[in-house]
Structure formats: structure tokens, C-alpha cells
Amino acid sequence: MERLNLEDFQMYNFLSGVKLQMDGEGMAYLVSSADMEENGYSTDVYFVDHQDSRGSIRLTESGKVKSFAWISRELLAFTEYEKPTDDAPDGRTRVYTANIFGNLREERCAFTGLMTLEGVLADEKLVFSRVDNIVHEKELEGLSGEAYAARRAMLKEKEEIATVFDEYPFWFNGRGVINKTRKAVYTCGLNGEDLTRVTPFGFRTEYLFAEGNRIVYNGCQVEPVENYLTGAYVYDAVNGTTTCVQEEGVCHIYGVTLWNGDAVIVSSKMDHYSVSQCPDLTVIDPVSGARTVLCDYAREINVGNPVGSDCRLGGGYDLRASGGWLYFIMGVADASHLYRIDRAGHLEPVLEKDGSVDCFDVAQERICLVAMHDMRLQELYCMKAGEGKAARCTSWNDDFYLSRPPVVPEKLNFVNADGVEIHGFVLKPVGYRSDRKYPAILDIHGGPHLSYGAVYYHEMQYWAYRGYFVIYCNPRGGEGRGNEFGMLSGRFGTIDYDDLMAFCDQALAAYPAMDAARMGVTGGSYGGFMTNWIIGHTGRFAAAVSQRSISNFVSMEGTSDIGTLFAQGQVMATTHTNVEKMWMHSPLKYADKCTTPTLFIHAEQDYRCWMVEALQMYTTLINNGVRTRLCLFHNENHELSRGGRPKGRIRRLSEITDWMDAFLKPADR
């Protein structure tokens, strides 16, 4: 058995975006891996034919693929993006087709900017999304050649001098400044002809799905504040008409798809359990307007995968209709499963297994999915509806799995003081001996409406290989246990703190080899908030690492890309309705009580939890004589630990581990 090293995630293969052929006989998917030379990731398309024993066939070799879609059973379209140059200041997207049988690659067209291929309509029209700058559109309208280049250069020079904000939100994590930008939907012919914008000028699209002759999407006009209670629309490509199937201002929409031409929306009015409320599933006929609610919030169904991991890249379908069923990924307790529901509201499991289903597709009763099962890294699995189990059909990460077998988490569930069962996990240190004492790290998930499960986590496995107990649990506020369990709004730092401390007590009692005097705590996002909260309320931890955290809800409300929604929905207050409550739930209020040596990890371009959150905590601690350090990452955002550049991810984990070693393993240094 080889030792797991900090840099070993460079060897991982990340799978995403799986899509079946129309007849279900074959599937294409994306495979990504770290590219240290470019300090990024290389991505290509692979194809698997169920009747072909050769396994996965590589369809592209550039490593630059951004998106793809099936045109026909034989023909697949994909995009590659070229970075900005003087000739193309917004970059350029090239569209290619590949024949899966002859593997013939042909360039079909090119566009300015980053165009994401979202699907293909029945007449072989391509459906794209692109983020447009509406100021540029007006300024450059009708220009070409030298006149276009001169005006574009002038706009670029103005933007280099100053950035203007006159909308909200003005920036967004992972996208940068979004003021006056809009994600728009386009269609065009296979060779780029008849490029047509589907969405109105000034409309910002959120989710979209294309199938047959229709496109369903949701979003809103930003005038000048974006309405998070978005509307939903169906575009008919045959007659060029758009129908509103859900008015703005009613519900928050979490996803859309099409089901035999009808729109499906996953939405919540947030009227009973605030932002933690389980969503409704509604089917809407865009012609008649007839609405069928398959289930409402009281049925406690969640769509999507809440189980966290730092071993994923890319996305894919989590909601998909086929025949008489609507299939979706659902968080259940500490795992994500695949379920389906019919139009009468009959719900049944398709695949229930510990771990996580990350994305899937379905066609002709055949299902393919990317999953993390049996403590493996991502692989592709196939099954037919009704079989109840899936067969693994790729071995991308087998070599790694066999040479560095994972530490399997042991479940540690208990009933808390309020009579609620809390689910937890423990990783024993590699080489564990019951007659020794070991340090421990409590790792806290983000969200808070997420969860931990029995999936591979690089950082946790690395710490276990370095001789740490790693303990983690799902306190109240997480997803997969229903509305009441997930309702943390207005209670941040109360019941969740109690659950985490009780879990630590349970772990110490169950594992005597765990050294109570050498415990560390860390977490990111909501986990960073909880780390900040913990160090102001207890001195039981010998070291702490707060990552991409919240420290002050008053400052977070006005600086985060989701600040106003988060404050109202999670704290149940705003600065101007109840600033005392905002401050009461802010870790910064209690930071002067901290004595725990604390490292802060933050990214300069984190607009979810802006850098001021870490700076305020750091400043308080260092002025109070507490051992502290702040590591601020350049050119990274809120996704540093999961999708950040490889060199940044290595430095982050190195900083955390060195800090823990310094205070939890001083004899080893």
C-alpha cells in the first residue's frame, strides 16, 4: 500500500455531464484531470457503446472541451474555448462535430465569447447560452471592422480605469463582476447560421433545458435589482413564441426541465420553512396552462445532490424526464439516491445506495450515472429502470483505488439532548493502534443545507493517512432529513453548535485513542462560520482553520452576491429590521473571547463570503494576542477547495495541514 500524498489529487479523473444517445444504446461523458503546466484542468469527451467490448472511446484530444450535446445517434457537437487575445478580447468559442463511428472531427462555426452548448432541437438547431454585456451590445450595435475594433478598445480602456456598479447583485462568485451582464439563450443552425436570441434583451437566465422543439428557462429582468423569485418560460421554436408558465415574484426556482413538451419546475414559496423549505414539483402545460403539483413541500422531497466532496468537477443532469416518469437525484439522510415520480404523484426509488449520485441521464428505460459508491472516486454506472442496482462500466480511478485504498468511515450516530438523532462518521488514522493516542480534526460541512456521507474526500483521507482521527457529522440544518431537521433559519450558532459539541463528546467516548487535548476544528463557508463561532464559545480545540467564512452578518448582507437573500432567509432579520439579531448570530461579536490559535483561509475573488469576513476576525484575534495567520489566495474564489486551480488547492491543503501539525502534533516537528 502506497502513502496518500497531498498532491495526489492530480492523479484523479473527474467525470461529469453524461448524456445518452436517443435510443439509449450509447453514452458520452466528460473526463477532466489536473493540468499542472497550465495550472488548470484538461477535459475531453469519451463515448461508451453498450454493445461494444472496447469500453470508453476517446472522441476529442485537445483537453479544451467545455460542453457537448448529441445531434443524432451518430453525430455529437462539442465546444472549445480560446482565451482572449487582441483580436478576440472576449475570447472565442469554436463549435465542432464528431462522428462516433468514424471519429471524424469537423469545425462548424465560431463565436465571440464563451458559448455553452445546452442542447439540440429537433430540427438540429443548436441551443447555446452566453453571458453578454448589455452596455457593449448597445455601444457596438451595427459596427464592424475597424470601427468595431476601435469602439471595443475604448470600452476596454474605460473598464480598466474604473468599474461601475448600478445593479444588484453587482458581482457573483465564480463569474466576477456581473453588473450589466446577462446570461442569454441563443439558437442557430449547425454551421452558425441564423443566430437568434431567445431571451429578451436585459433578461438574466438562470436554468434552462432544451428538447424537441421547446426550450424551458427561468430568470428575470434586472431593473435594477434581480428578483430571486424568478419566472419560468417556454419557448416554442416552431412558431417562435414564448409563454410564461410561472410569473415572477411567487417562488424561488431551483431547476427546470421538459416532460413530453410540458414544463417542470422545482420551486419553493419559502413560506413555511424559509430557505430550508423542501421544494414543490410542478408540471405545467404551456398551451393550456394546466398545472399539476406532483408533490409539495410537506412531502419533504429534495432535488439535487447535497452530499459534499472535494473530488468532483463539472455538472450534469439532476432532473430528467423519460416516458411516464420524472427522474431526479434526491438527498436522503447521508446519501443521494436516484428516484422517480409519475404524473399521479407515485414516488419510487430507482437506486438506493450509500454514497452519492452526482449526475445522470435516462433514455428508453436505460439509465447511466456518474456516482461515488463504495468509497471509490467517480465512475460511470449503468442500469435499467426496475433493476434496483447499477453496474460499474468504467475504471478510470481503479489504479489509485487499489494502490491507496481509502480509509472507510465508521458510522457514529447518537440521539442528542432534544431527542433528535444525529448522524456522524469517524475515519481512523492509518496504522491505527488502540494502545496509542492520536490527534483529531473535526471537519464541518458547508451550506448549511448540505450533508456529509460515505464518499471519498481527499482532504479527510490525507489527514487520516497522516495519523489523524477525522470526525464529521450532519448537525441540524442539513439536507436529507426533512423540513424540521433542516430548519436552521434564525438559529445559527445555537442548535447546530450544540449538535457539533455533543458529537465531539460522543466521538471521544467511543474512541478512547482520540486525544481530547489535541483536537482541531475546520470547515468552509457555513463550516467556516461554525469554526468562527466555536472559537468564540469554547476553548476545547487546540487549533482551528476557518475557511471562506462568514463572521459578521451585518457586513455580509451588503457585500455578498447572495447577501440580502441569505440574511433574510437564514438569519430571519436584516440590518434595518433587527440589527441586534444580525449581530447576535455573528461570530465577530464573540471573537474577543477566542484563545484558540486560528488560521484563516480565504480567496480574493470569493464574492459569496467576501474577504472582509476573514479580515475582521483576523484583525480581532491578532490585536488580542491570539496566534493567528491569514492566507489570502489570488485568482481564486469560493470554490477553491473543490474546483480551484491545482496549485492553489495544493497550497491550501498544505497551509491547513501545517497549522494542524504545529499545534496538534508538536512532538513530531
Side-chain angles (χ1 to χ4, degrees):
M1 181 178 73
E2 296 181 35
R3 180 183 177 87
L4 178 65
N5 295 308
L6 185 148
E7 303 89 351
D8 280 350
F9 82 91
Q10 299 174 53
M11 302 168 60
Y12 299 168
N13 292 295
F14 308 100
L15 280 56
S16 63
V18 62
K19 294 184 177 73
L20 280 160
Q21 292 170 299
M22 294 72 165
D23 58 9
E25 290 305 310
M27 54 193 157
Y29 61 101
L30 298 173
V31 179
S32 303
S33 58
D35 182 341
M36 294 304 295
E37 184 175 341
E38 293 291 327
N39 195 22
Y41 298 90
S42 171
T43 303
D44 280 301
V45 184
Y46 287 77
F47 171 71
V48 174
D49 189 328
H50 296 294
Q51 310 302 321
D52 193 328
S53 61
R54 291 180 296 170
S56 294
I57 301 169
R58 188 171 184 171
L59 297 181
T60 65
E61 297 183 351
S62 68
K64 299 178 181 179
V65 175
K66 294 297 183 183
S67 57
F68 77 93
W70 288 105
I71 298 173
S72 65
R73 190 180 188 280
E74 297 83 16
L75 201 62
L76 179 141
F78 64 94
T79 67
E80 296 181 357
Y81 178 67
E82 298 174 353
K83 295 179 181 179
T85 62
D86 290 340
D87 295 334
D90 298 313
R92 181 178 284 110
T93 296
R94 298 191 182 277
V95 183
Y96 301 86
T97 56
N99 188 296
I100 62 170
F101 297 112
N103 199 20
L104 300 175
R105 170 182 167 134
E106 179 182 359
E107 182 175 348
R108 307 303 292 254
C109 53
F111 302 98
T112 59
L114 175 60
M115 300 277 280
T116 301
L117 183 58
E118 303 283 0
V120 179
L121 298 175
D123 59 358
E124 295 192 351
K125 276 193 173 180
L126 306 178
V127 179
F128 290 97
S129 64
R130 184 176 71 188
V131 176
D132 293 331
N133 187 306
I134 60 175
V135 172
H136 290 185
E137 282 193 73
K138 289 180 178 179
E139 291 276 350
L140 300 172
E141 185 177 6
L143 299 179
S144 60
E146 292 183 2
Y148 176 93
R151 182 66 61 83
R152 183 65 183 84
M154 180 270 292
L155 291 171
K156 182 179 180 182
E157 183 179 358
K158 287 178 64 177
E159 290 163 353
E160 289 174 347
I161 296 171
T163 297
V164 174
F165 293 162
D166 56 8
E167 296 180 339
Y168 182 85
F170 39 82
W171 56 30
F172 201 86
N173 187 68
R175 302 180 206 166
V177 174
I178 63 169
N179 196 81
K180 286 295 190 288
T181 68
R182 304 289 189 269
K183 178 182 175 181
V185 182
Y186 291 85
T187 63
C188 70
L190 188 56
N191 295 311
E193 69 276 17
D194 301 323
L195 180 66
T196 303
R197 180 166 49 205
V198 171
T199 48
F201 182 82
F203 185 94
R204 179 174 289 154
T205 309
E206 190 173 12
Y207 303 107
L208 72 142
F209 179 80
E211 187 174 69
N213 289 309
R214 288 178 173 170
I215 303 170
V216 61
Y217 60 91
N218 78 294
C220 68
Q221 292 286 151
V222 183
E223 299 174 334
V225 177
E226 181 176 320
N227 189 353
Y228 64 85
L229 302 178
T230 57
Y233 305 83
V234 174
Y235 171 76
D236 190 321
V238 175
N239 53 36
T241 60
T242 299
T243 302
C244 176
V245 294
Q246 176 61 64
E247 293 183 353
E248 285 187 33
V250 176
C251 56
H252 186 70
I253 297 176
Y254 298 97
V256 297
T257 193
L258 290 166
W259 190 358
N260 297 329
D262 292 342
V264 179
I265 63 171
V266 183
S267 65
S268 173
K269 294 180 181 178
M270 302 186 291
D271 52 352
H272 291 83
Y273 294 93
S274 189
V275 292
S276 303
Q277 185 166 307
C278 294
D280 305 336
L281 278 175
T282 307
V283 182
I284 308 167
D285 184 331
V287 177
S288 69
R291 302 170 69 91
T292 303
V293 179
L294 302 182
C295 61
D296 65 10
Y297 75 94
R299 201 164 177 184
E300 301 190 330
I301 290 174
N302 282 294
V303 177
N305 177 20
V307 180
S309 175
D310 56 0
C311 297
R312 301 187 185 106
L313 280 174
Y317 297 132
D318 60 11
L319 178 71
R320 194 78 162 89
S322 180
W325 296 93
L326 177 68
Y327 294 76
F328 56 92
I329 299 171
M330 182 167 79
V332 180
D334 315 315
S336 61
H337 303 319
L338 187 63
Y339 273 69
R340 67 180 184 178
I341 193 169
D342 65 15
R343 289 186 180 244
H346 172 69
L347 178 73
E348 64 180 39
V350 177
L351 180 65
E352 293 181 303
K353 185 177 175 64
D354 278 353
S356 75
V357 177
D358 296 344
C359 65
F360 76 99
D361 197 12
V362 56
Q364 305 298 326
E365 295 290 296
R366 189 183 292 277
I367 302 165
C368 58
L369 48 100
V370 174
M372 300 179 76
H373 286 157
D374 304 314
M375 286 302 294
R376 290 178 176 271
L377 291 161
Q378 288 180 315
E379 296 290 356
L380 193 62
Y381 295 78
C382 297
M383 63 181 297
K384 288 189 176 180
E387 289 181 341
K389 60 181 181 179
R392 184 163 62 92
C393 52
T394 61
S395 54
W396 281 101
N397 292 295
D398 265 12
D399 289 346
F400 189 88
Y401 177 84
L402 295 171
S403 63
R404 300 165 180 80
V407 180
V408 177
E410 299 178 4
K411 291 187 178 181
L412 180 60
N413 300 344
F414 69 99
V415 177
N416 67 15
D418 295 327
V420 179
E421 185 175 68
I422 303 299
H423 298 171
F425 302 89
V426 175
L427 297 183
K428 287 180 179 175
V430 171
Y432 168 80
R433 287 171 39 187
S434 60
D435 61 342
R436 286 191 56 190
K437 282 285 190 179
Y438 296 89
I441 297 174
L442 170 66
D443 209 345
I444 307 172
H445 69 63
H449 214 48
L450 296 173
S451 63
Y452 278 138
V455 299
Y456 194 97
Y457 234 107
H458 175 71
E459 65 180 34
M460 294 186 186
Q461 292 289 322
Y462 174 62
W463 293 329
Y465 265 79
R466 286 185 61 87
Y468 285 96
F469 272 100
V470 185
I471 62 175
Y472 47 106
C473 73
N474 293 321
R476 281 171 287 182
E479 189 173 315
R481 300 278 300 278
N483 289 311
E484 289 290 346
F485 186 91
M487 178 61 173
L488 191 61
S489 299
R491 300 191 284 183
F492 269 47
T494 60
I495 57 173
D496 45 354
Y497 172 76
D498 293 341
D499 289 347
L500 288 164
M501 295 304 99
F503 173 67
C504 289
D505 295 339
Q506 292 288 327
L508 288 167
Y511 295 86
M514 196 180 300
D515 190 345
R518 292 190 293 152
M519 290 187 70
V521 58
T522 188
S525 196
Y526 165 75
F529 162 86
M530 278 309 309
T531 301
N532 290 344
W533 185 272
I534 285 168
I535 61 176
H537 286 79
T538 179
R540 71 183 297 174
F541 295 96
V545 181
S546 173
Q547 306 172 58
R548 59 186 193 280
S549 67
I550 297 170
S551 67
N552 182 356
F553 279 116
V554 177
S555 59
M556 190 263 187
E557 180 187 23
T559 58
S560 168
D561 57 358
I562 60 169
T564 55
L565 171 63
F566 199 90
Q568 287 183 313
Q570 297 284 21
V571 188
M572 305 295 280
T574 70
T575 304
H576 295 96
T577 60
N578 194 343
V579 70
E580 292 80 9
K581 184 169 180 58
M582 297 276 282
W583 183 236
M584 181 180 72
H585 291 286
S586 297
L588 187 62
K589 177 180 179 180
Y590 314 96
D592 61 333
K593 307 295 191 299
C594 174
T595 58
T596 306
T598 304
L599 167 68
F600 295 94
I601 298 285
H602 225 89
E604 281 185 342
Q605 296 173 10
D606 184 343
Y607 301 135
R608 184 64 35 84
C609 304
W610 196 33
M611 69 173 79
V612 297
E613 301 301 313
L615 291 170
Q616 291 173 91
M617 287 291 292
Y618 167 81
T619 299
T620 300
L621 266 59
I622 200 166
N623 281 316
N624 285 347
V626 179
R627 291 282 298 277
T628 188
R629 173 182 172 91
L630 191 153
C631 188
L632 188 63
F633 285 79
H634 309 306
N635 302 311
E636 297 289 357
N637 60 54
H638 199 68
E639 299 302 309
L640 169 62
S641 66
R642 298 163 290 199
R645 292 170 174 82
K647 292 179 181 178
R649 293 177 68 173
I650 291 171
R651 175 68 182 273
R652 166 197 164 270
L653 189 50
S654 176
E655 286 279 343
I656 297 171
T657 306
D658 288 349
W659 190 262
M660 293 296 187
D661 285 352
F663 296 98
L664 307 185
K665 300 165 67 175
D668 297 340
R669 296 181 68 83

